[in-house]
Amino acid sequence: MFKRDVKQVSELILRTLRVQGLETPLLQKRLVDAWPVVAGPVIARYTADAVIRNQTLYVHLLSPALRTELSMRRQELVQQLNAYVGAQVIADVRFN
């Protein structure tokens, strides 16, 4: 008898994504898509755009008052977003 090297499909997919260099962009996309879920529907309504550059999530907000309020909750939002994705994707959030 011979021994088979059995692997889970999810493990094979993750390994392939790492080899192809697609794991980080995929996680970044998931994190940007998670912004309305983590921030909530009211904040999402005032969000014009969100993009990640150099491990920083830049969120363009339409309300200056909301920008000030969320700036005080930056670390909390970073932790919630990273937890939602399940990986350390961003280190900071900036609002403009």
Side-chain angles (χ1 to χ4, degrees):
M1 302 230 50
F2 59 92
K3 184 178 178 183
R4 293 179 190 232
D5 187 21
V6 179
K7 305 237 188 255
Q8 292 184 348
V9 174
S10 61
E11 181 183 333
L12 294 172
I13 291 172
L14 286 175
R15 187 178 339 153
T16 303
L17 287 173
R18 265 188 222 112
V19 169
Q20 297 294 323
L22 299 173
E23 183 181 31
T24 301
L26 179 63
L27 288 172
Q28 289 176 345
K29 172 71 171 128
R30 287 179 55 202
L31 190 130
V32 169
D33 290 345
W35 170 254
V37 176
V38 172
V42 174
I43 295 172
R45 192 176 319 136
Y46 291 100
T47 300
D49 191 26
V51 65
I52 297 177
R53 279 188 232 113
N54 298 327
Q55 291 187 330
T56 301
L57 176 65
Y58 293 92
V59 180
H60 181 72
L61 296 172
L62 303 174
S63 168
L66 186 60
R67 185 178 312 132
T68 303
E69 180 184 335
L70 291 179
S71 292
M72 292 184 280
R73 296 180 43 210
R74 283 177 29 201
Q75 287 302 335
E76 176 187 344
L77 288 168
V78 168
Q79 291 172 354
Q80 289 176 345
L81 287 163
N82 284 329
Y84 187 90
V85 174
Q88 179 69 30
V89 179
I90 60 170
D92 196 13
V93 178
R94 299 286 170 103
F95 303 101
N96 53 6

